[in-house]
Amino acid sequence: MNDFISIRGLSLPRRMVLQGIASLLGGAFAPGAFAAGAKSCRLTERDIIGPYYRFGVPFQTKLAGPNEPGERLIISGKVYSSDCRSRLPNTLIEIWQANSAGLYDTDKPGNFTEHADFHLRGMMLSDQQGNYEFETIMPGRYPVPPNLPGLEKYAGLTRPAHIHFRVAESLHVPLTTQLYFKDDPYIAKDPWASRKPSLAIGLKQDGKFLRGTFDLVLARGF
């Protein structure tokens, strides 16, 4: 092997030239750099909107009144851009769920504009650091109703406990998803939750509340 390289008429030792190139590149081709580039930020997975979404919910972070049956629950988290570092203030977050008996505030699936009192629903904005928090109760499980368009084959299937989210920020792709809870025995057979384990969180008892953290990562819109 030739131990010298000719550059512009000069004969230089191969080792010196290669070391110089490596120095100029700043180690860009080092194994650690490749490993860092391979680690991608994980966006929050999407999930179905379900048949019980309704427009026009009020701004509120306390979804359950003091007399609402069920275990008290506080969910908090941060909203991030796709780099998992940049926090997103003023992000609109809509929440809706079933009560502890597995019933929603409407018995008309798919009627998004029904005029009725809102119950266990609300929307909020993340604060200037991208934080959000709301108080509610643990949602109950329920069977998928019969004759729902597109969901007919799942009629009677018991859904695990879950909370619905719709998240919107002006520079990011809107997100519709659902939050589940680890160790729910109905997740394994659920056609949606079973495929998205990242959407299931653990809960910890804190006095009279169960507490959980659910961070949201949105895709950039351009």
Side-chain angles (χ1 to χ4, degrees):
M1 184 173 98
N2 192 346
D3 291 329
F4 291 87
I5 297 175
S6 178
I7 299 179
R8 293 189 176 181
L10 296 177
S11 183
L12 301 174
R14 177 183 295 272
R15 181 187 296 269
M16 185 177 75
V17 173
L18 295 179
Q19 287 176 341
I21 292 173
S23 176
L24 287 172
L25 292 174
F29 293 102
F34 278 115
K39 292 181 180 178
S40 60
C41 177
R42 183 164 189 173
L43 301 175
T44 300
E45 293 188 270
R46 299 179 175 279
D47 209 332
I48 60 171
I49 192 171
Y52 296 110
Y53 175 76
R54 293 173 61 196
F55 290 108
V57 298
F59 274 89
Q60 59 181 10
T61 57
K62 193 167 185 176
L63 277 59
N67 298 321
E68 183 72 32
E71 294 182 275
R72 311 302 293 190
L73 174 66
I74 293 178
I75 299 295
S76 60
K78 298 176 175 61
V79 188
Y80 293 98
S81 186
S82 55
D83 61 4
C84 288
R85 294 189 305 273
S86 304
R87 298 190 185 186
L88 300 179
N90 301 316
T91 300
L92 182 66
I93 304 170
E94 292 181 78
I95 308 290
W96 68 102
Q97 66 171 85
N99 66 11
S100 60
L103 300 174
Y104 286 85
D105 61 1
T106 174
D107 58 359
K108 300 177 181 178
N111 190 341
F112 294 167
T113 57
E114 178 186 9
H115 295 288
D117 291 337
F118 292 108
H119 183 222
L120 295 175
R121 298 175 188 265
M123 60 182 173
M124 63 210 71
L125 293 173
S126 62
D127 67 16
Q128 291 306 301
Q129 288 73 46
N131 300 305
Y132 77 92
E133 181 176 285
F134 63 93
E135 178 183 331
T136 184
I137 52 100
M138 275 294 293
R141 307 179 186 97
Y142 60 87
V144 176
N147 303 318
L148 285 179
L151 300 178
E152 293 89 350
K153 66 179 180 179
Y154 301 115
L157 176 78
T158 298
R159 296 227 59 213
H162 60 278
I163 298 175
H164 295 267
F165 281 68
R166 287 190 79 205
V167 187
E169 199 278 335
S170 59
L171 298 179
H172 292 76
V173 179
L175 170 70
T176 299
T177 192
Q178 297 183 37
L179 168 63
Y180 302 99
F181 304 97
K182 289 181 178 179
D183 302 322
D184 188 317
Y186 287 88
I187 286 179
K189 293 185 178 180
D190 188 80
W192 301 283
S194 62
R195 300 172 186 169
K196 299 169 182 177
S198 68
L199 298 181
I201 66 169
L203 298 173
K204 293 183 178 180
Q205 192 74 45
D206 181 15
K208 67 176 183 178
F209 291 100
L210 291 169
R211 288 184 178 268
T213 301
F214 186 49
D215 291 338
L216 299 161
V217 183
L218 308 185
R220 292 282 299 186
F222 58 89

